Amino acid sequence: MKVGVLQETTPGDRRVALVPEMVGRLRGAGLEVLVQSGAGDGAWFADSAYAEAGASIVSRDELLAEAGAVVGISRPEERITGALRAGQALVGLLNPLADPAFAAAMAARGVTAISMDGLPRTLPRAQGMDALTSQANVAGYKAALVGAAAFGRFFPLLITAAGTARPAKVLVLGTGVAGLQAIGTARRLGAVVSAYDVRPQTKTEVESLGATFIELTSVGPAAGDGGYARALAEDERQAQQAELAGHIARHDVVITTAQVPGRRPPLLVTDEAVKAMAAGSVIVDMGAGPLGGNVAGSVPDTETVTENGVTVIGAGSLAATVPTAASAAFARNVSALLLHMVADGELVIDLTDEIQAGVVITHDGAVVQPATAALLAGDPNGGAAP
Ligand code: NAD
């Protein structure tokens, strides 16, 4: 089978799904690798490097005509997905739970859609394939840097002849993969860090990074399935927002990372909480996306300054801005997944395999992944954690 590596089509995304280092690995499994010309340029991987590793450099049209599996990171734009044909596979972070109609469209075309966000992440043998984790890790690192860059003072305690600067106080809301990496990076820059999550089991991880875990008295633990958080009820949400507001006002930089699978990100920082922050404070909203964000008034990929002088940065796609590291990690993840699913140089779909049952969304003209199928059947909780 030929694996075709697309150039990413999301504006501003400089990543690429496969790096030259992984070409030999795929070829060793009997796969041919096609790379769209210029696909790696944004991440500093030249066509020549792919060619030296044994890939063929092709146009996008050639790739779509020849590849048995078309690989990208984010879902490609419609003129690409609309050109896929029966029997072809599309691999990437396709996010079918946010747009099940896309899965229906792929099934109708007879395309095998393989979405890496469906991976059973707690399965030890799947960890090398976990692109959500690898990209969240990169994004969390960048969030701390973005916060530091937008902040008008130092992060570390600095004692100089010109005076003493107190360390910045950073608050991280949501301490999954991205939040923990943001904590670690802000700590390495010298900030004093506090953090909060609705899953109290993250407390020890937060503390092991040298940060203080904030426990709210108004909201109980809200762990859901598979290590994720559950969505809060309306009264819990309001109590959480009100209690968090007091903590937010006492911090210089707030980084929010909260997500609930299959749902819009929870609002953690209300308009009132933003208004209560001191001028010069910074909020980095990693939840900001088309469905909304964790922070009232944040706009995706945009930096705004409120009337009271708070910089609010909508930063839902930060992994795309650290393209070389993010691409290298994604390439390892997608290569591991392809090698898991390929035998004798061909993709073998086996829905009895736990990994494939999670990632294979459509096959043979049907939506086969249960969570996506449930959403399409009209069950609003089909894709969400309970
Ligand atoms: P995520 O991106 O879905 O969410 C980020 C964080 O937001 C989570 O920690 C969640 O608890 C938190 N959150 C959600 N709603 C919130 C609210 N209202 N208030 C405050 N916080 C809220 O999560 P993720 O980082 O992708 O992963 C979450 C967890 O999944 C991990 O910490 C881990 O337990 C599990 N996981 C396990 C593995 C593994 O076993 N290898 C790998 C990846 C993730």
Side-chain angles (χ1 to χ4, degrees):
M1 183 179 70
K2 292 179 183 175
V3 173
V5 182
L6 282 174
Q7 181 157 35
E8 291 301 301
T9 52
T10 309
D13 193 341
R14 296 173 48 196
R15 295 171 297 175
V16 60
L18 198 78
V19 301
E21 193 192 333
M22 288 295 134
V23 171
R25 191 84 68 84
L26 297 185
R27 280 165 53 86
L31 297 166
E32 272 184 66
V33 180
L34 311 178
V35 176
Q36 181 180 343
S37 180
D41 285 354
W44 312 110
F45 298 108
D47 284 355
S48 56
Y50 287 102
E52 274 164 36
S56 305
I57 309 302
V58 296
S59 70
R60 192 182 62 207
D61 288 348
E62 287 169 320
L63 186 151
L64 292 174
E66 292 178 30
V70 173
V71 179
I73 299 181
S74 300
R75 187 204 301 176
E77 60 191 14
E78 209 180 331
R79 72 193 155 112
I80 294 176
T81 55
L84 296 173
R85 56 173 193 281
Q88 268 181 320
L90 174 66
V91 187
L93 289 167
L94 307 176
N95 203 1
L97 297 183
D99 183 9
F102 169 74
M106 289 297 98
R109 298 191 79 79
V111 171
T112 298
I114 298 172
S115 190
M116 295 169 73
D117 38 35
L119 194 79
R121 298 172 75 193
T122 48
L123 199 66
R125 67 195 171 96
Q127 284 179 14
M129 309 169 196
D130 189 349
L132 284 182
T133 289
S134 75
Q135 302 306 293
N137 199 33
V138 174
Y141 159 81
K142 185 69 181 275
L145 300 188
V146 166
F151 187 48
R153 293 193 278 113
F154 294 116
F155 262 30
L157 166 75
L158 281 187
I159 302 170
T160 73
T164 298
R166 67 168 174 82
K169 284 189 274 181
V170 172
L171 174 62
V172 176
L173 299 178
T175 53
V177 178
L180 291 173
Q181 189 54 256
I183 293 170
T185 306
R187 288 280 300 142
R188 285 191 285 278
L189 289 171
V192 174
V193 183
S194 303
Y196 161 74
D197 197 294
V198 272
R199 293 182 301 120
Q201 56 269 47
T202 64
K203 182 176 194 276
T204 45
E205 292 169 300
V206 167
E207 289 175 346
S208 73
L209 292 168
T212 304
F213 190 80
I214 293 175
E215 288 178 62
L216 299 189
T217 52
S218 61
V219 194
D225 265 1
Y228 290 111
R230 65 167 169 83
L232 298 182
E234 186 52 36
D235 57 333
E236 290 177 307
R237 221 181 341 250
Q238 284 176 12
Q240 183 190 53
Q241 289 167 351
E243 194 174 353
L244 274 180
H247 292 281
I248 291 164
R250 289 192 284 279
H251 286 82
D252 302 308
V253 175
V254 176
I255 299 171
T256 68
T257 78
Q259 301 281 351
V260 177
R263 294 191 183 259
R264 53 175 301 170
L267 184 73
L268 302 181
V269 185
T270 60
D271 205 27
E272 294 71 45
V274 177
K275 287 195 176 119
M277 290 184 86
S281 305
V282 175
I283 309 177
V284 181
D285 182 2
M286 292 184 67
L291 296 177
N294 297 143
V295 181
S298 71
V299 182
D301 303 318
T302 305
E303 183 170 321
T304 46
V305 181
T306 64
E307 271 175 26
N308 61 317
V310 177
T311 301
V312 179
I313 303 172
S317 45
L318 286 177
T321 69
V322 193
T324 313
S327 302
F330 187 91
R332 272 180 231 117
N333 301 144
V334 77
S335 299
L337 179 64
L338 286 171
L339 295 178
H340 174 71
M341 297 180 69
V342 162
D344 299 324
E346 294 300 328
L347 203 57
V348 180
I349 302 298
D350 172 10
L351 296 176
T352 63
D353 171 63
E354 205 177 344
I355 291 174
Q356 292 210 35
V359 298
V360 178
I361 310 301
T362 63
H363 186 57
D364 275 345
V367 175
V368 292
Q369 194 217 38
T372 307
L375 281 178
L376 282 166
D379 173 1
N381 291 318

